[in-house]
Amino acid sequence: MRSDAKTMNVPFFRPPIGEEEIAEVTSCLRSGWLTSGPITKRFEQEFAEAVGARHAVAVNSCTAALHLAVEALGLAPGQAVLVPTMTFAASAEVVRYRDAVPILVDCDPVSFHIDLADAERKIELLAAGKVAAAGGETPKVVGIIPVHVGGLMMDIDALRDFAARHELWIVEDAAHAFPAAWRANDTEPWQRCGEDTSAVTCYSFYANKTITTGEGGMAVTGDAQLADRMRMMSLHGLSHDAWKRYSGGGSWDYQIVEAGYKYNLTDIASAIGVHQLPRAEQMRKEREAIARWYSDALADVDEIELPIAPKNRIHAWHLFPIRLRLEKLRVDRNAFLSSLREAGVGCSVHWRPLHLHPYYERFGWTPEAFPAATPLWQRLVSLPLFPGMQDAERDHVAEVVRTLCSQNRA
Ligand SMILES: Cc1ncc(COP(=O)(O)O)c(C=O)c1O
């Protein structure tokens, strides 16, 4: 490797915070109004417009948004929900919050999306009492929580067809998918993620997401009743006027209608969000340009497979996961990842599938039940990808990957 290779350190992600965000946060701090108030209202309205949704509820994480969504849809103890095994903790844990059963589903080995054919199989096995996670019972499957992994949207028509056939609600885990869109083919108009793509679409504004508020999330829906329920439950289950009370316009009196949660987003966080939002498409384009550059620069490296970029998708490019061809390498993924880090390339793995975590092992899932996800995760490495990444940083990442592959060729 070149001599500067050792000295350069490329982080996995660097949040692109501009002067506007800093000025707005400062002004919020000086205003005397720190918690949910006018800036959060504005963020909700502008976000709803950006994705083409009728209602948006700002919350303090995507996890909170997912939890509120399944609660509002009436997910009850003992019911079952289809959840991909190839996802982050949040997508399934919210099902457990309701004492319901996540039925883990295998993934497509290339897109990493939930495999609807396996979902179909899981429903059949459940009906036959053959799913250990359900304890031999036949719980009612009421919903599905697909994940647009890395910001690449699923085929929404296929998803909706599947859900309609099985009478399931859909809650999209769109933690990675803002801004993103899909269309069935070149003659169809684009449909944005969140533009009536499901009952509720949930986004994350965690520090490394495509737009950030430090920590934060949003639930969007076209259904006014779901929106009202999520809003009420996000603030202790207080009667609707509690929000007005917060902004000084309402009555001092309020009523507790339900045992809710404390999930509201602060104006300090929204002050960051309202300035990230107008830059979202520009930042997406920057990520897309880097993803294209990586794809060209690494196209001839035989030891890896690159992420796909289907033409009927506007890809949010939250992640750039490569798949190692382990049969062509003398090292495993962990050793490869350690070498990347030693050479100053911040990287990560998305994800160890849920069925391989101790908590989910107790439901009786076996690695063999997920023939795609089980071997796939041992091949995964996510490379750095963020707006503002310097050419020298991008060059360094590609050079290190190329060099490690040639040094470790089998
Ligand atoms: C697919 C997915 N869903 C949900 C979440 C949870 O997001 P948050 O940290 O905003 O709760 C994440 C976080 O990384 C994620 O990757």
Side-chain angles (χ1 to χ4, degrees), residues 61-63 66 87-88 90-91 147 173 175-176 204 206 209 216 351:
S61 68
C62 180
T63 311
L66 290 164
T87 188
F88 182 63
S91 330
V147 180
D173 181 336
H176 303 179
S204 174
Y206 177 71
K209 293 301 187 290
W351 296 272

Side-chain angles (χ1 to χ4, degrees), residues 47 51 61-63 65-66 69 84 87-88 90-91 113 144-154 156 159 170-181 192-195 197-198 200-206 209-211 216-220 316 318 351:
F47 192 86
V51 298
S61 68
C62 180
T63 311
L66 290 164
T87 188
F88 182 63
S91 330
H113 290 150
I144 181 167
I145 305 183
V147 180
H148 302 306
V149 183
L152 176 67
M153 280 186 78
M154 288 189 64
I156 297 294
L159 187 60
I170 307 173
V171 169
E172 285 165 289
D173 181 336
H176 303 179
F178 175 74
R192 287 166 284 180
C193 182
E195 189 175 13
T197 38
S198 67
V200 185
T201 307
C202 303
Y203 305 86
S204 174
F205 309 137
Y206 177 71
K209 293 301 187 290
T210 52
I211 69 166
M218 193 77 78
V220 310
H318 168 53
W351 296 272

Side-chain angles (χ1 to χ4, degrees), residues 62 65-66 68 73 93 128 143 173 176 181 246 263 283 286 341 344 347-348 403 407:
C62 180
L66 290 164
L68 291 172
L73 285 159
E93 79 195 18
D173 181 336
H176 303 179
Y246 258 37
Y263 282 166
M283 294 195 291
E286 277 190 56
R341 286 189 167 170
C347 47
S348 190
T403 307
Q407 280 172 352

Side-chain angles (χ1 to χ4, degrees), residues 20-21 24-25 28 39 266-276:
E20 296 94 333
E21 283 91 323
E24 190 80 42
V25 169
C28 173
I39 311 181
T266 66
D267 267 18
I268 303 173
S270 296
I272 307 174
V274 290
H275 290 283
Q276 291 265 297

Side-chain angles (χ1 to χ4, degrees), residues 357-391:
H357 286 274
Y359 178 78
Y360 288 97
E361 279 168 12
R362 78 187 64 182
F363 290 89
W365 298 113
T366 60
E368 297 73 37
F370 305 92
T374 299
L376 175 64
W377 100 275
Q378 288 165 345
R379 305 174 52 209
L380 294 176
V381 178
S382 297
L383 298 181
L385 176 63
F386 50 89
M389 199 172 176
Q390 304 296 307
D391 289 358

